[in-house]
């Protein structure tokens, strides 16, 4: 009798373990606000689905390196984040699963998503990812500090030179660290565009050596080296721009809505002092559009189940994420419900935002991004001149965009 | 040397030694201090305040009750938080233990067998193999890691304990150590065993090995230490966070808790304490490895 | 059996584990690295013949009609583009040879017929799929083989500025760390050996950094080196009067590498000190006594007796130190985020695992190997003493 019971139990155990499919989803850990949002989303899904369980397995450290290693080892996750600027590289390498099949089969409401976000993750007329949210850049400023030094607040109509003027006033009146800038190419891009420059020419070779782009670069660097009104976040003792602003180490930063989520979670007293306006313009107004998609691993053995999870992540999951992490909804239905006044400027900035995807002949941009960032770092440290930096880009860009 | 010269020399030595002791210990002590500082705390009026471990002066008041630093009372909560936030810590500890343990045991077996063979036994191509092995000591890890990774992929051993351990089972340095030792081993003992009729196996397992404890101890410690602290290979070979070792886990912690210094330091100290305990318990063996390598044949 | 033969057999039995493991995991990889360096090995492609997919669904998507709607092959023949189908819907990037084979031998008719007959509604791997429908040359589609590219990788690395930068960084790193840590270790050993009380205590304390993992040390020093951190505070307190400003040690490209060098020396000097201490203790005191009788001064004894007799240990420490420094990786991975400060080992890793070009990375690895061999050879030549 005992043997029978035991074997029945064993069979049940084996059968039940077979019938539950575990889907692994991966991204980068993000700040604590984002982490909390993800945990909630995962819990919610697991509670409502008996046969599919989700595991969140974030990659710390360098996301792309580790993801590529895992994919090439045959051990990749079922769903993972794909940042827009590496999207084309991964799509071309054929490691992403096309989603059109599932979309048409389930009549998934892909039209609810902003068209240019859907477009951002389309390659060769095939959809390879669904944007989970998006962000733009705006200018955060600390009202309390501006009040203290009696300088007028930045406005959405300011130009870069107005910004420089206000920062200089702050410095003259005694505030040492008016703004913080990042040595990141993607933060420089809106400056380039607003100066009337562009990133690539028609043949996709670099346009960073054109005079508008160089002028923008010079302005950006001069803020730190010549006018001395800006510092890197690490120089202030913070990890990133939002961190520097939230710890009140600086008065102005150009950041995205995730910083808002971070402030609300960790430094709530700073939120009341915060004003947000559009980035300064010049010849034209410009901002960045960042977006990350959930994509499916072409090697996943459980594609149907992974699809179920993906749908949830960009539907109910998005609602939670938008609320908790402070990002913007990629679904028009969710975005229209998001009436948070602090986020209004971010939504408005979409109109003149540039999606963070630089077209190259091979579809690969990540490496060039690394090298340009390194040059920016050197410029901030005063180790090379602008002329040398531009020269380096001119000589090497074509090599950098190759594998 | 005259007496006064001796005295001067000794004083200078003391100064150097004490200065370097401070230099050696300071980073650990500072990290420990920061690890006990809470990220935020409630002051006597019940108001929530943050503490900044970068503030100056650090206002260290260790002899008050409760001890304070950076304006906040010291607490153990960060350590608790680390375990809370990273429930996998114990799993990572286990992984590191298994990895280091298996690699050590493997190296002891393979190293003693191989070391004895190269020290005592004659077989064709012996010199060739040994010179080849010595040459491999110079090969940087980066040269071999790509094909080793590919091999593991092809065998389907990525993200498994076997995959982690196999390539690390034959450390040439260990082989060299054991060979040195066996070459210095008193031949008389072995000869006596032979006369008594023991074969090669018998001599090895019953006479030589039991008397090789100091060398095996040094080998074990050296190997265990290397494997415990290994970063690059586990980085490549693991692909799920359940399989991380402590070193990888610490890296993971850094990305989430960027500049939350007290948590970072608590995580770092937790990671280091097991090794420190092992170190203090087996002090002699550890220090012996530094010494053993220098002993000439 | 002859005694000699018997011994030889035993010898191999004992030595075989070592030999096998080394052959498999060291010698074979070295050969493979040489091979890979002449290819364009892309790690992302290693799995491409194992992708599972449903051919029916892929064709449905490709032609825009569901299987049960299609009655004959003619309806879909024109909208079916073989190459785009294989590349995007099956998911295989083909090289020239494979493209030609597909053009010649792929049985499109058969595929479309099977589709119409509903035979394709199952999961196949890309490899199974291709071998089913290729009339000939099936073996091209079973496993990924990287393509040979001749000397392209080597030509490229000569022009790559970051190869030069990372090599210079690595050599600079080695050239500074090795002498300093060796000298410091000797100094400490001599000091400890001067019949000072508590030698054991010093041994333990100095050894402590060596047993701590590089990850932990990196984190701790990240705290100490940051701009508002304790190191800057101390330096400002001491040298502020001379106009010293706090420095962002790890992020400033001018100081980053030096900061890591210092960290490295801190963690290894103690370990090597113990080696020297052992060596010192092996020097018979009679030598020093004789020198005293001859009226030698302290420094004379140091340079003429101590150092020469420490030669084997010095050589050992220098060689091990060099090999270690040339390969430094962990600290760079944790703390350096500017491409200008990377070392060659990190650049190899980045090319292999992030940029997806293991062929190029392998060629870099060979260069590194060659340099280490050269340096070690030169060291052994000019500091003669076997070890």
């Amino acid at each position: 009798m005992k043997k029978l019971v035991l074997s029945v139990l064993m069979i049940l155990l084996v059968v039940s373990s077979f019938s539950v499919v575990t889907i692994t989803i991966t991204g980068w850990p993000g700040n604590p606000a984002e982490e909390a949002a993800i945990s909630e989303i995962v819990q919610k899904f697991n509670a409502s689905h008996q046969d599919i369980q989700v595991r969140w397995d974030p990659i710390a450290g360098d996301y792309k390196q580790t993801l590529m290693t895992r994919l090439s080892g045959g051990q990749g996750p079922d769903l993972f984040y794909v940042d827009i600027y590496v999207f084309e590289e991964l799509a071309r390498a054929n490691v992403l699963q096309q989603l059109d099949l599932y979309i048409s089969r389930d009549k998934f409401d892909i039209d609810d998503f902003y068209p240019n976000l859907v477009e951002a993750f389309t390659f060769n007329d095939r959809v390879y990812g669904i944007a989970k949210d998006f962000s733009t850049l705006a200018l955060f400023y600390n009202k309390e500090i501006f009040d203290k030094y009696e300088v007028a607040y930045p406005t959405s109509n300011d130009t870069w030179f107005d910004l420089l003027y206000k920062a200089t006033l702050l410095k003259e009146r005694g505030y040492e660290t008016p703004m913080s800038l990042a040595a990141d190419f993607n933060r420089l891009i809106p400056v380039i565009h607003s100066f009337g420059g562009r990133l690539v020419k028609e043949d996709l070779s670099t346009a960073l050596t054109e005079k508008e782009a160089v002028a923008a670069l010079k302005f950006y660097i001069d803020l730190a080296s010549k006018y001395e009104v800006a510092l890197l976040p690490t120089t202030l003792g913070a990890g990133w721009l939002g961190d520097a602003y939230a710890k009140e180490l600086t008065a102005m930063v150009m950041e995205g809505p995730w910083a808002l989520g971070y402030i609300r979670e960790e430094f709530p007293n700073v939120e009341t002092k915060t004003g947000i306006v559009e980035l300064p313009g010049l010849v034209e107004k410009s901002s960045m559009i960042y977006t990350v998609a959930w994509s499916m691993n072409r090697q996943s053995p459980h594609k149907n189940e992974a699809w179920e999870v993906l749908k949830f992540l960009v539907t109910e999951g998005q609602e939670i994420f938008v609320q908790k992490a402070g990002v913007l909804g990629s679904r028009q239905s969710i975005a229209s419900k998001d009436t948070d006044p602090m986020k209004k400027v971010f939504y408005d900035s979409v109109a003149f935002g540039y999606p963070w995807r630089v077209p190259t002949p091979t579809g690969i941009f990540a490496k060039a991004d690394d090298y340009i960032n390194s040059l920016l770092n050197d410029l901030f440290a005063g180790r090379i001149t602008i002329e040398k930096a531009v020269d380096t880009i001119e000589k090497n860009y074509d090599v950098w965009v190759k594998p | 040397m005259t007496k006064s010269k001796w005295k001067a020399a000794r004083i200078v030595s003391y100064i150097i030694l004490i200065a370097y002791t401070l230099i050696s210990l300071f980073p650990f002590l500072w990290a420990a201090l920061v690890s006990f500082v809470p990220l935020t705390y409630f002051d006597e009026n019940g108001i929530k305040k943050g503490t900044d471990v970068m503030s100056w002066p650090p206002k260290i008041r260790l002899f008050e009750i409760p001890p304070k630093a950076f304006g906040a009372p010291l607490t153990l909560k960060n350590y608790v938080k680390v375990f809370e936030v990273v429930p996998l810590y114990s799993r990572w500890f286990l992984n590191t233990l298994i990895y280091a343990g298996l690699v050590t045991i493997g190296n002891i077996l393979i190293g003693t067998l191989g070391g004895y063979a190269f020290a005592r036994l004659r077989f064709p191509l012996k010199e060739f193999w040994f010179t080849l092995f010595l040459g491999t000591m110079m090969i940087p890890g980066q040269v071999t890691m790509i094909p080793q990774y590919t091999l593991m992929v092809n065998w389907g051993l990525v993200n498994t304990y076997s995959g982690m351990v196999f390539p690390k089972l034959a450390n040439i340095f260990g082989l060299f150590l054991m060979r040195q030792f066996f070459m210095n081993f008193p031949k008389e003992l072995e000869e006596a065993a032979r006369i008594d009729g023991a074969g090669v196996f018998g001599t090895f397992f019953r006479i030589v090995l039991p008397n090789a404890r100091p060398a095996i101890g040094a080998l074990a410690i050296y190997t265990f230490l290397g494997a415990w602290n290994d970063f690059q290979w586990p980085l490549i070979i693991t692909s799920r966070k359940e399989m991380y070792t402590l070193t990888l886990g610490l890296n993971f912690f850094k990305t989430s808790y960027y500049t939350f210094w007290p948590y970072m330091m608590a995580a770092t100290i937790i990671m280091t304490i097991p090794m420190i305990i092992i170190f203090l318990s087996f002090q002699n063996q550890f220090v012996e490895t530094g010494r053993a390598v220098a002993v000439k044949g | 059996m002859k005694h000699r033969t018997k011994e030889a057999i035993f010898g191999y039995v004992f030595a075989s584990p070592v030999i096998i493991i080394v052959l498999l995991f060291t010698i074979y990889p070295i050969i493979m690295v040489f091979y890979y360096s002449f290819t364009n090995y892309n790690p992302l492609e290693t799995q491409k013949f194992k992708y599972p997919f449903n051919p029916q669904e892929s064709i449905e998507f490709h032609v825009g009609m569901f299987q049960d709607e299609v009655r004959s092959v003619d309806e879909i023949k024109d909208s079916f583009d073989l190459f785009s189908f294989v590349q995007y819907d099956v998911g295989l990037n083909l090289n020239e040879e494979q493209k030609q084979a597909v053009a010649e031998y792929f049985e499109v008719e058969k595929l479309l017929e099977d589709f119409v007959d509903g035979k394709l509604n199952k999961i196949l791997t890309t490899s199974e799929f291709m071998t089913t429908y290729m009339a000939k040359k099936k073996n091209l589609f079973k496993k990924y083989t990287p393509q040979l590219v001749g000397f392209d990788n080597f030509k490229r690395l000569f022009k790559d500025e970051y190869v030069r930068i990372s090599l210079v960084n690595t050599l600079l790193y080695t050239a500074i760390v090795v002498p300093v840590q060796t000298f410091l270790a000797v100094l400490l050993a001599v000091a400890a050996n001067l019949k000072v009380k508590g030698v054991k205590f010093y041994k333990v304390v100095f050894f402590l950094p060596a047993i701590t993992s590089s990850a932990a040390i990196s984190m701790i020093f990240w705290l100490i080196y940051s701009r508002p951190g304790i190191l800057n505070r101390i330096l400002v307190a001491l040298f502020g009067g001379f106009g010293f400003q706090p420095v962002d040690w790890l992020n400033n490209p001018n100081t980053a590498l030096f900061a890591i060098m210092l960290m490295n020396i801190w963690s290894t000097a103690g370990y090597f000190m113990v080696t020297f201490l052992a060596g010192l203790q092996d020097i018979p005191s009679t030598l020093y006594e004789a020198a005293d009788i001859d009226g030698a001064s302290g420094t004379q004894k140091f340079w003429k007796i101590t150092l020469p007799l420490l030669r084997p240990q010095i050589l050992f420490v220098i060689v091990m130190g060099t090999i270690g420094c040339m390969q430094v990786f962990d600290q760079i991975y944790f703390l350096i985020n500017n491409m200008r400060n990377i070392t060659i080992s990190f650049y190899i890793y980045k090319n292999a695992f992030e940029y997806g070009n293991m062929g190029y990375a392998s060629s870099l690895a060979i260069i590194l190997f060659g340099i280490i061999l050269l340096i070690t050879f030169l060291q052994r030549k000019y500091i003669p003493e076997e070890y």
Side-chain angles (χ1 to χ4, degrees):
Chain A
M1 188 57 203
K2 217 168 159 190
K3 254 196 176 168
L4 186 62
V5 171
L6 219 61
S7 33
V8 168
L9 280 176
M10 280 301 295
I11 294 177
L12 277 179
L13 192 69
V14 167
V15 167
S16 64
S17 65
F18 267 116
S19 62
V20 172
V21 172
T22 308
I23 298 293
T24 306
I25 65 175
T26 293
W28 45 81
N31 62 51
E34 290 170 336
E35 276 284 300
I38 301 229
S39 303
E40 190 181 323
I41 295 172
V42 170
Q43 263 174 351
K44 218 173 158 201
F45 183 91
N46 285 342
S48 55
H49 288 76
Q50 247 46 30
D51 48 342
I52 309 177
Q53 292 289 290
V54 173
R55 241 184 36 144
W56 164 243
D57 186 359
I59 291 177
D62 196 302
Y63 180 74
K64 183 164 182 266
Q65 275 171 18
T66 315
L67 179 69
M68 305 261 292
T69 309
R70 292 186 189 182
L71 289 175
S72 54
Q75 289 277 323
D78 297 288
L79 296 174
F80 49 91
Y81 284 178
V82 174
D83 202 333
I84 178 177
Y85 81 103
V86 295
F87 167 69
E88 194 174 335
E89 184 181 340
L90 293 180
R92 278 197 196 217
N94 264 325
V95 293
L96 304 177
Q97 171 66 35
Q98 307 153 305
L99 301 174
D100 311 77
L101 300 164
Y102 303 108
I103 291 174
S104 53
R105 189 188 67 188
D106 289 359
K107 304 217 184 355
F108 182 71
D109 54 348
I110 192 87
D111 296 324
D112 188 25
F113 290 81
Y114 283 103
N116 57 350
L117 293 180
V118 176
E119 177 66 31
F121 294 105
T122 302
F123 177 68
N124 244 299
D125 297 323
R126 291 158 174 79
V127 174
Y128 286 100
I130 300 187
K132 70 181 183 72
D133 55 45
F134 76 102
S135 307
T136 56
L137 279 183
L139 184 67
F140 285 64
Y141 64 95
N142 188 320
K143 294 187 199 163
E144 195 181 72
I145 297 179
F146 274 84
D147 288 338
K148 181 168 168 197
Y149 292 93
E150 294 175 351
V151 177
Y153 295 160
T155 71
S156 290
N157 297 318
D158 280 356
T159 65
W160 287 103
F161 293 99
D162 291 325
L163 178 76
L164 173 59
Y165 176 64
K166 292 178 182 170
T168 316
L169 271 185
L170 279 174
K171 185 120 196 246
E172 279 173 7
R173 294 185 188 169
Y175 186 67
E176 283 296 315
T177 55
M179 61 188 296
S180 187
L181 292 177
D184 263 326
F185 179 58
N186 63 72
R187 301 303 167 100
L188 177 61
I189 293 181
V191 189
I192 294 180
H193 281 126
S194 58
F195 269 61
R198 55 183 180 167
L199 302 181
V200 292
K201 302 183 186 160
E202 288 79 19
D203 61 357
L204 300 186
S205 64
T206 184
L208 293 174
T209 47
E210 291 177 348
K211 63 181 198 316
E212 295 86 354
V214 177
L217 176 64
K218 190 162 188 313
F219 180 80
Y220 194 76
I221 301 291
D222 280 347
L223 284 172
S225 51
K226 184 165 151 199
Y227 305 111
E228 295 181 345
V229 294
L231 290 163
L232 291 176
T234 48
T235 314
L236 294 170
W240 47 292
L241 289 173
D243 197 30
Y245 178 81
K247 292 183 177 162
E248 299 193 78
L249 298 165
T250 183
M252 293 187 278
V253 291
M254 297 187 287
E255 260 291 17
W258 57 79
L260 191 60
Y262 178 67
I263 292 172
R264 284 179 173 161
E265 177 89 9
E266 305 290 332
F267 300 91
N269 56 317
V270 177
E271 189 183 351
T272 43
K273 307 181 202 173
T274 299
I276 302 182
V277 291
E278 292 168 5
L279 289 185
L282 193 65
V283 170
E284 49 186 72
K285 287 191 78 59
S286 182
S287 180
M288 287 298 287
I289 299 180
Y290 300 107
T291 177
V292 173
W294 280 108
S295 285
M296 194 190 297
N297 188 346
R298 207 186 255 273
Q299 272 182 274
S300 167
H302 303 294
K303 291 187 186 162
N304 285 313
E305 291 82 353
W307 172 245
E308 287 303 312
V309 177
L310 206 162
K311 281 193 293 185
F312 183 86
L313 288 170
V314 296
T315 314
E316 288 103 318
Q318 185 174 130
E319 287 192 31
I320 298 175
F321 212 67
V322 166
Q323 212 185 27
K324 288 269 167 72
V327 290
L328 312 179
S330 52
R331 277 179 174 277
Q332 299 181 61
S333 56
I334 293 183
S336 58
K337 281 190 281 178
D338 192 359
T339 49
D340 187 334
M342 294 292 268
K343 287 191 190 169
K344 182 174 182 313
V345 173
F346 292 110
Y347 279 109
D348 290 343
S349 297
V350 177
F352 45 83
Y354 176 80
W356 173 216
R357 180 173 164 179
V358 179
T360 64
T362 54
I364 298 175
F365 182 69
K367 189 158 88 164
D369 189 52
D370 268 348
Y371 290 142
I372 298 179
N373 283 341
S374 159
L375 286 176
L376 283 175
N377 254 301
D378 283 342
L379 284 168
F380 270 103
R383 196 170 161 147
I384 55 176
T385 60
I386 303 241
E387 290 72 32
K388 179 87 176 43
V390 174
D391 193 48
T392 310
I393 294 178
E394 170 138 30
K395 290 211 179 102
N396 293 304
Y397 188 81
D398 292 326
V399 176
W400 291 346
V401 296
K402 290 205 199 118
Chain B
M1 250 198 306
T2 59
K3 232 184 172 189
S4 60
K5 272 198 181 168
W6 256 118
K7 230 184 166 196
R10 286 180 70 177
I11 292 179
V12 170
S13 309
Y14 267 120
I15 296 178
I16 295 178
L17 291 173
I18 296 199
Y20 199 72
T21 308
L22 290 174
I23 294 176
S24 263
L25 290 180
F26 178 74
F28 293 107
L29 295 174
W30 186 251
L33 180 69
V34 170
S35 75
F36 291 118
V37 175
L39 200 62
T40 59
Y41 73 107
F42 291 92
D43 68 9
E44 49 287 344
N45 300 323
I47 298 178
K48 187 176 177 194
K49 293 166 94 83
T51 65
D52 187 0
V53 299
M54 301 295 194
S55 62
W56 192 260
K59 292 196 278 229
I60 302 176
R61 314 242 183 289
L62 289 178
F63 298 105
E64 279 184 12
I65 311 256
K68 287 204 180 119
F70 304 103
L74 300 186
T75 171
L76 286 172
K77 280 217 211 109
N78 295 328
Y79 288 87
V80 175
K81 176 98 181 182
V82 170
F83 280 102
E84 213 178 78
V85 154
V86 191
L88 286 172
Y89 177 82
S90 33
R91 174 70 199 256
W92 294 342
F93 185 84
L94 187 70
N95 291 337
T96 319
L97 205 60
I98 292 179
Y99 175 59
L102 288 177
V103 169
T104 305
I105 294 175
N107 265 289
I108 291 179
L109 288 172
I110 296 179
T112 47
L113 285 172
Y116 188 70
F118 282 103
R120 285 283 188 258
L121 303 174
R122 277 166 301 183
F123 53 95
L125 293 181
K126 176 171 150 176
E127 282 310 310
F128 165 72
W129 288 123
F130 195 68
T131 319
L132 185 66
F133 294 168
L134 275 191
T136 65
M137 276 175 80
M138 248 167 281
I139 297 172
Q142 286 75 37
V143 172
T144 47
M145 73 179 175
I146 296 172
Q148 280 173 354
Y149 174 74
T150 313
L151 214 55
M152 293 298 131
V153 170
N154 290 334
W155 290 351
L157 290 180
V158 174
N159 205 50
T160 60
Y161 290 123
S162 336
M164 272 169 86
V165 169
F166 275 155
K168 303 286 173 181
L169 286 177
N171 188 309
I172 298 301
F173 189 77
L175 177 75
F176 175 68
L177 206 68
M178 294 314 298
R179 174 180 175 267
Q180 275 300 80
F181 177 82
F182 288 132
M183 282 187 357
N184 292 335
F185 194 79
K187 281 208 171 102
E188 308 79 50
L189 279 174
E190 294 173 66
E191 276 158 24
R194 290 293 176 78
I195 292 172
D196 284 348
V200 175
F201 269 118
T203 322
F204 180 71
F205 282 106
R206 270 179 274 149
I207 305 292
V208 179
L209 216 47
N211 286 306
R213 275 213 233 141
I216 293 184
L219 175 63
I221 296 292
Y222 171 81
T223 314
F224 193 81
L225 182 64
W228 184 272
N229 290 336
D230 191 8
F231 176 69
Q232 197 178 12
W233 177 244
L235 176 69
I236 300 173
I237 195 75
T238 55
S239 52
R240 288 287 144 86
K241 67 180 186 205
E242 282 77 18
M243 290 300 285
Y244 283 174
T245 55
L246 283 176
T247 335
L248 294 179
L250 190 62
N251 187 35
F252 170 90
F253 204 76
K254 169 184 165 204
T255 316
S256 302
Y257 291 89
Y258 221 148
T259 74
F260 282 16
W261 297 112
Y263 297 164
M264 288 294 320
M265 290 303 117
T268 308
I269 301 252
I270 294 178
M271 212 193 113
T272 322
I273 286 207
M275 216 48 218
I276 294 189
I277 293 180
I278 296 182
F279 172 58
L280 291 175
S281 324
F282 295 100
Q283 270 172 46
N284 292 322
Q285 268 86 342
F286 267 97
V287 173
E288 197 60 28
T289 61
R291 190 207 144 91
V293 302
V295 173
K296 304 273 297 99
Chain C
M1 210 189 291
K2 265 177 95 168
H3 180 70
R4 263 287 168 78
T5 328
K6 214 177 173 193
E7 190 172 333
I9 295 181
F10 271 114
Y12 268 103
V13 168
F14 274 54
S16 49
V18 176
I19 296 180
I20 294 176
I21 303 249
V22 173
L23 276 180
L24 199 52
F25 292 112
T26 311
I27 307 296
Y28 170 73
I30 296 176
I31 300 175
M32 289 311 281
V33 164
F34 274 96
Y35 165 60
Y36 289 146
S37 64
F38 292 104
T39 69
N40 61 359
Y41 181 26
N42 181 346
L44 280 186
E45 304 238 326
T46 50
Q47 301 294 323
K48 73 181 186 186
F49 287 114
K50 300 188 202 162
Y51 293 150
F53 77 112
N54 182 322
Q56 174 166 303
E57 286 178 359
S58 302
I59 298 182
E60 282 178 342
F61 174 70
H62 189 86
V63 299
M65 293 168 71
F66 285 107
Q67 191 269 340
D68 42 20
E69 294 172 356
V70 179
R71 252 156 295 261
S72 80
V73 172
D74 293 320
E75 285 176 44
I76 48 176
K77 216 165 42 173
D78 295 319
S79 50
F80 187 81
D81 176 354
L82 179 62
F83 280 108
S84 114
F85 176 69
V86 171
Q87 182 160 2
Y88 300 118
D89 299 302
V90 176
L92 287 176
N93 287 329
L94 301 173
N95 62 32
E96 285 311 311
E97 201 188 346
Q98 288 165 332
K99 277 191 192 153
Q100 264 192 318
V102 166
E104 281 182 50
Y105 298 113
F106 193 90
E107 296 172 325
V108 183
E109 279 286 323
K110 186 169 162 212
L111 175 68
L112 293 179
E113 275 170 21
D114 284 347
F115 171 68
V116 173
D117 293 338
K119 288 192 200 160
L120 292 176
N121 193 10
K122 53 187 174 177
I123 308 279
L124 291 176
T125 63
T126 45
S127 165
E128 285 168 354
F129 176 77
M130 293 305 284
T131 48
T132 314
Y133 290 99
M134 288 293 289
K136 289 192 189 172
K137 300 223 170 167
K138 292 179 194 261
N139 56 314
L140 283 179
F141 299 95
K142 292 211 177 129
K143 209 171 102 106
Y144 168 67
T145 40
Q147 269 186 299
L148 287 170
V149 292
F151 283 96
D152 278 0
N153 287 327
F154 291 97
K155 283 191 223 157
R156 187 174 149 190
L157 67 86
F158 278 112
K159 291 191 258 172
D160 186 342
E161 193 187 347
Y162 283 96
V163 170
R164 191 181 51 82
I165 291 179
S166 59
L167 274 179
V168 165
N169 284 340
T170 314
L171 291 171
L172 186 68
Y173 190 90
T174 311
I176 293 187
V177 171
V178 171
V180 175
Q181 81 186 8
T182 312
F183 177 71
L184 190 57
V186 170
L187 192 67
L188 291 174
V190 167
N193 198 39
L194 235 49
K195 304 221 188 326
V196 153
K197 279 182 279 189
V199 177
K200 193 141 180 261
F201 168 76
Y202 292 117
K203 272 193 197 172
V204 168
V205 167
F206 295 170
F207 215 80
L208 206 58
I211 63 137
T212 317
S213 84
S214 53
I217 295 182
S218 299
M219 295 302 146
I220 298 179
F221 273 81
W222 191 34
L223 172 69
I224 294 179
Y225 275 142
S226 52
R227 196 163 185 273
I230 187 79
L231 180 67
N232 274 322
R233 303 278 189 191
I234 294 178
L235 290 174
V236 165
L238 291 175
F239 302 110
F242 300 105
F244 179 79
Q245 290 285 343
V247 176
D248 191 1
W249 299 100
L250 289 172
N251 286 293
N252 186 331
N254 297 321
T255 57
L257 213 51
F258 293 105
I260 300 207
M261 287 181 202
L262 205 63
M263 198 175 86
N264 199 335
I265 294 172
W266 174 85
S267 65
T268 50
Y271 179 84
F272 291 129
M273 168 209 149
V274 169
T275 308
F276 285 129
L277 202 57
L280 282 177
Q281 285 165 351
D282 280 347
I283 300 179
S285 50
T286 47
L287 280 174
Y288 289 116
E289 285 158 23
D292 276 335
I293 293 171
D294 284 346
S297 72
T299 32
Q300 277 181 321
K301 281 194 289 184
F302 180 74
W303 291 103
K304 293 253 158 80
I305 301 181
T306 316
L307 277 190
L309 285 174
L310 277 182
R311 260 246 190 97
Q313 285 82 1
I314 293 183
L315 179 67
F316 173 79
V317 167
I318 289 184
V319 170
M320 293 312 282
T322 304
I323 296 179
C325 284
M326 290 295 290
Q327 299 181 40
V328 65
F329 176 81
D330 298 5
Q331 296 88 325
I332 308 290
Y333 183 90
F334 284 116
L335 297 175
I336 295 282
N337 46 23
N338 187 338
M339 290 292 283
R340 186 164 284 280
N341 297 123
I342 61 172
T343 54
I344 185 78
S345 61
F346 186 76
Y347 194 52
I348 294 174
Y349 170 78
K350 217 158 153 69
N351 270 297
F353 292 97
E354 182 175 341
Y355 298 150
N357 199 336
M358 284 193 175
Y360 186 57
S362 299
S363 59
L364 292 175
I366 291 184
I367 300 289
L368 176 63
F369 180 36
I371 295 181
I372 293 186
L373 274 182
L374 183 66
I375 295 183
T376 324
F377 171 72
L378 289 174
Q379 278 174 344
R380 291 189 66 183
K381 197 161 182 231
Y382 291 106
I383 315 180
E385 187 83 8
E386 0 81 27
Y387 67 84

